[in-house]
Amino acid sequence: MSEAVIQVEKLGKRFHIGKLKVATTLRDALTNAVKAAFPRQGKTFGSRTADEDTILWALRDVSFEVKRGEVVGLIGRNGAGKSTLLKLLARITRPTTGWAKIRGRVGSLLEVGTGFHPELSGRENIFLSGAVLGMKKTEIQRKFDEIVAFSEVERFLDTPLKHYSSGMQMRLAFAVAAHLEPEILLVDEVLAVGDVAFQKKCLGKMEDVARHGRTIIFVSHNLAAVSRLTQSCAYLESGVLRFFGATKDAIKRYAEAEENDDLIYVNKDLSKSEKPRIESVELRTTFPDNLQMNNSPLDITIKLHIPCPVAGACLSVQIYDANQINYALLWTQGVDVPICRESGTYVLAAHIPKLRLYMGTYRLRVFFSEPPGGEVFQTVGGICPFEVKMQDNSRLFQWWPNECAYVEECEWSVVEASSEVLA
C-alpha cells in the first residue's frame, strides 16, 4: 500500500472579520499599520458597525489522506475554503484547530506572479521568482531555456516587466512555477491564466508532472480539467468537507448541490456588501417548458448590484452540460458595456441571435469579476436549466470536441440602470 504523504486531521481555520489580524508577514504588518493610520469612520451595515468583530470559520474539522503519487482535485464554490486549505498545507498560514502532516518537499503555485518585480527584466524576474519559490540558482540556470520557451516571451526577455501585458506576465509566472521539482505540488487555479491555447499548454504540463509520480493537489473551477487530470477529489462547501472520493462522484455531488430548476435565479442573500454581486439571472427560451431550438435566439438577463465603482469589471456566462463540460461562453470583455463605472444597480441583457448548441440539456454558470487575473466577486452555477432540440433543417449539424468551448456570438446591452449611490 502506498505511503500517505499528506495527513490532515480535524483541520480548521478561523478569521476575525472587521478586526486587524495578527501580523505574520511583513506585508501583514505594513497593511495593519496603514489601517491603523486611517481608521474607518463608523460606516454601518444593517444593525452592526463595520469595525465590530465577527468570527468566520473558513475551514472546520477537515480530515483526509493523500497517498504518494495521487493527483487529487479540490472543488467547491468561491469562499468554500479551497485556497485557505492549500495555504495551510503550504505552511503559509497556521491552523486554528487540528493539524496537517506533510512528508516530502512541497512546491506551491498559489498566487501566479509570486516574487516578480516590475522594474526588473523578464530574465531577472525568472531568477527572482524562482528563488522565492525555493529553486536554487543552479537549478534555475539548468531550466532557464525551458522556462523561456514555455512562456513564449523570449523576444521581450530583457524588457522591464512593467512593459509586459498582463497575459505575458501570467505566462512567465506559470512557466517558472511549473518547472519546480517538488515531491508534492499544490496548485490553485493555474488554468485561469492566459488565452485558451496557453491554458491547454498548462494542463499538458500538469499531466506531465503527474506522470512522473508526484503528488498533486489541484484546485480549479474547470471541472472538465479536474475530471481529466485527477483520480480522486475533495468537495468543500462553506468550509466543510462534504465528500472525498472518486472524482466523478465528487463532481456529481457538487453538481447536485448547485442545481436549481427555475429559469429565474434570485440571490437570496440580500445583506449589504462592499463587493459587487449578482442579484438575479433570467433565461428566456424559444418555447415554453425550458425548450430551446438550435439556431434560434436565446436571451439572458442579469441584474447586478454595484456598491462601488470597479474599473474593467467582467461578466461571463458558461453554458455546460450534466457532465460539467463547458460548451459555450459569453462575456463582456472587450465589449463597451458601461457597468461598474458608477455605484448603482444595472440590468444587462445578452442576446444570442442563433444558438449553436447541439441537442441536449444545459445549465448556466455566471462569473462576475475584476479583469482577467483579478478577484472573482461571485460565481453562480447550476442555474436556469434548458433543453436544446434540433430543427428539421439542422440534421447535418456537426459538433467539435467537448473540451473546446467556443465563444458564442452575443449582443450585450444595458436595459436598466440606476446609478444612485447605495448605502
Side-chain angles (χ1 to χ4, degrees):
M1 182 179 289
S2 298
E3 177 191 4
V5 294
I6 299 176
Q7 289 179 285
V8 174
E9 185 67 29
K10 294 189 178 301
L11 199 63
K13 181 63 180 177
R14 181 180 63 199
F15 292 100
H16 293 272
I17 307 301
K19 178 180 178 180
L20 290 179
K21 63 179 179 179
V22 176
T24 56
T25 65
L26 176 60
R27 182 168 65 178
D28 289 341
L30 293 173
T31 301
N32 288 353
V34 172
K35 287 182 177 180
F38 300 97
R40 301 181 66 174
Q41 302 297 318
K43 185 176 180 180
T44 60
F45 298 90
S47 60
R48 61 181 293 273
T49 65
D51 296 320
E52 184 178 344
D53 184 30
T54 301
I55 293 175
L56 171 67
W57 283 92
L59 285 176
R60 198 156 200 169
D61 293 332
V62 173
S63 301
F64 63 89
E65 285 188 356
V66 178
K67 299 189 183 302
R68 187 177 306 279
E70 279 192 308
V71 183
V72 178
L74 189 53
I75 60 175
R77 301 180 67 180
N78 288 318
K82 303 185 299 298
S83 296
T84 300
L85 177 56
L86 288 197
K87 287 178 181 178
L88 290 172
L89 296 179
R91 302 290 194 263
I92 293 173
T93 185
R94 294 181 178 180
T96 306
T97 61
W99 51 268
K101 184 180 291 185
I102 312 292
R103 298 183 177 92
R105 180 188 176 191
V106 177
S108 57
L109 179 52
L110 307 186
E111 293 184 15
V112 176
T114 300
F116 274 14
H117 194 290
E119 298 297 332
L120 299 180
S121 67
R123 183 188 304 274
E124 292 164 331
N125 269 299
I126 289 176
F127 284 90
L128 176 62
S129 182
V132 169
L133 292 172
M135 299 172 72
K136 296 180 180 179
K137 184 177 180 181
T138 53
E139 186 180 2
I140 300 171
Q141 289 173 329
R142 177 165 52 86
K143 298 182 178 180
F144 185 83
D145 290 341
E146 293 179 50
I147 292 171
V148 173
F150 191 93
S151 67
E152 303 172 1
V153 297
E154 183 176 5
R155 182 180 176 187
F156 307 97
L157 201 55
D158 295 305
T159 302
L161 196 75
K162 64 183 179 182
H163 298 305
Y164 283 33
S165 68
S166 59
M168 291 168 63
Q169 292 184 34
M170 287 188 286
R171 290 203 303 272
L172 185 61
F174 179 81
V176 175
H179 286 80
L180 289 168
E181 290 185 351
E183 296 166 276
I184 301 168
L185 185 60
L186 310 176
V187 187
D188 192 356
E189 279 297 357
V190 296
L191 296 179
V193 306
D195 52 29
V196 173
F198 192 74
Q199 288 178 22
K200 289 184 177 180
K201 197 179 200 180
C202 291
L203 184 58
K205 183 63 178 178
M206 293 292 297
E207 290 178 321
D208 182 60
V209 170
R211 279 195 295 270
H212 284 79
R214 297 179 200 158
T215 305
I216 301 174
I217 295 186
F218 175 49
V219 172
S220 181
H221 286 289
N222 187 333
L223 298 183
V226 172
S227 179
R228 172 178 167 182
L229 188 63
T230 69
Q231 298 90 38
S232 56
C233 188
Y235 163 43
L236 283 174
E237 182 182 31
S238 301
V240 177
L241 183 62
R242 298 297 185 189
F243 180 84
F244 187 89
T247 297
K248 65 177 182 179
D249 295 328
I251 291 176
K252 181 180 179 182
R253 290 281 292 271
Y254 180 33
E256 289 173 350
E258 279 199 324
E259 285 183 358
N260 182 319
D261 292 328
D262 200 337
L263 281 181
I264 302 177
Y265 161 82
V266 178
N267 188 348
K268 295 179 181 179
D269 180 13
L270 298 180
S271 58
K272 298 296 183 181
S273 171
E274 293 183 340
K275 291 186 178 182
R277 69 168 182 259
I278 301 164
E279 289 202 340
S280 65
V281 180
E282 181 178 359
L283 179 72
R284 291 190 292 277
T285 55
T286 312
F287 297 98
D289 300 323
N290 302 19
L291 180 61
Q292 174 71 25
M293 292 295 183
N294 83 305
N295 286 332
S296 295
L298 183 69
D299 291 284
I300 303 170
T301 303
I302 304 170
K303 185 177 182 181
L304 304 175
H305 168 91
I306 315 296
C308 54
V310 180
C314 181
L315 189 70
S316 61
V317 181
Q318 292 178 350
I319 302 178
Y320 63 97
D321 69 359
N323 294 319
Q324 301 290 310
I325 295 173
N326 297 325
Y327 281 87
L329 173 69
L330 328 174
W331 59 5
T332 59
Q333 187 179 359
V335 180
D336 186 23
V337 181
I339 60 171
C340 300
R341 295 177 186 173
E342 296 181 16
S343 302
T345 301
Y346 295 83
V347 179
L348 270 67
H351 174 70
I352 303 172
K354 290 185 177 182
L355 186 71
R356 294 178 286 171
L357 286 175
Y358 192 63
M359 58 185 179
T361 302
Y362 303 88
R363 290 180 181 269
L364 303 184
R365 183 182 292 115
V366 184
F367 292 88
F368 188 26
S369 67
E370 290 182 336
E375 179 184 4
V376 177
F377 301 131
Q378 188 180 7
T379 302
V380 178
I383 61 173
C384 305
F386 65 101
E387 182 181 2
V388 175
K389 291 191 175 182
M390 309 302 292
Q391 300 188 54
D392 291 341
N393 61 354
S394 301
R395 291 174 181 169
L396 298 179
F397 183 84
Q398 297 294 318
W399 184 246
W400 44 85
N402 293 345
E403 62 269 17
C404 291
Y406 66 90
V407 178
E408 182 65 90
E409 295 179 6
C410 176
E411 300 166 2
W412 288 94
S413 62
V414 176
V415 296
E416 182 181 334
S418 172
S419 56
E420 300 174 359
V421 176
L422 300 173

